[in-house]
Amino acid sequence: MITEIPDFNIRAFNTFGMNVECSKWIDYTEPSDLPSVFASVDRHRFRCIGAGSNMLFTGNYDGTLIHSSILSVETEPCDNGMTRLRVGSGMTFDKVIEMSAAAGLWGIENLSAIPGDAGAAAVQNIGAYGVEVKDVIESVEVYDIQENRFRTIDRVECGYGYRMSMFKLPENRYRYVVTAINILLSATSGPKLDYGNIRQALEDKEVSALLRWMSEKPLSGFATRSCRLLSWWVVPEVSLRILWCREKFMTRCALLPESQSEYLIMKWKLA
């Protein structure tokens, strides 16, 4: 189903909460909607948008914003204890992580609390705590606007690098629309705890929940969405000292969940 709304306010669709409008908003729920969508869209005045976590609008957008509401998640058992998830591009990726963790499937739990949808995760190659989404992507399903056809692009062809993919190349910016991603998760490998001092910090705590808790803690004086976690340490209460703020770095402490004596010290940098 296709929904078109002129002069649409996108405050709820960008993480900075900018109170701005786009000339036209198009929401679609099925991949088969896309040929009709692009039959009428100005090819030089549109952008695809998910949660708007990688965009900063400084004013109204004079063009069309195209939003995926493909929310399907399909699972398929594979060999060697692996499970394939086919995730619609409009699914919030953090919800996919929650679902996977609840099902005992490992591989993306370290990406908890990163904002954005599944389609954008594949485009940006999101990463955190020693894991990148490319590590689990098998293929990406897209609509090729230029050739007016649907394609499945395997991980190698996606050209992944650090926060990079072939979808971000200038010549492909207005060519591909992600409709689904296929990821492979393990039911046997367990969480990845060898990055930094995660293993020491977590001990027997559930990895996804604690990493989400760390990312969602308020940061006094700064908007969390404008900051990046650099490192952290767990210290006993007796070692707690006055926190400091210097240049563009700052630290913050918080009592660990279910603990009365251990504090988490977090070091942040303004993004």
Side-chain angles (χ1 to χ4, degrees), residues 228-247:
R228 177 165 59 92
L229 183 62
L230 296 178
S231 56
W232 67 94
W233 306 266
V234 172
V235 298
E237 185 175 13
V238 294
S239 300
L240 191 62
R241 295 292 183 266
I242 297 174
L243 302 181
W244 52 265
C245 179
R246 183 179 302 166
E247 297 175 353

Side-chain angles (χ1 to χ4, degrees), residues 121-138:
V123 171
Q124 301 290 339
N125 186 26
I126 61 172
Y129 308 113
V131 174
E132 292 178 302
V133 75
K134 72 173 180 62
D135 300 335
V136 297
I137 282 183
E138 180 183 44

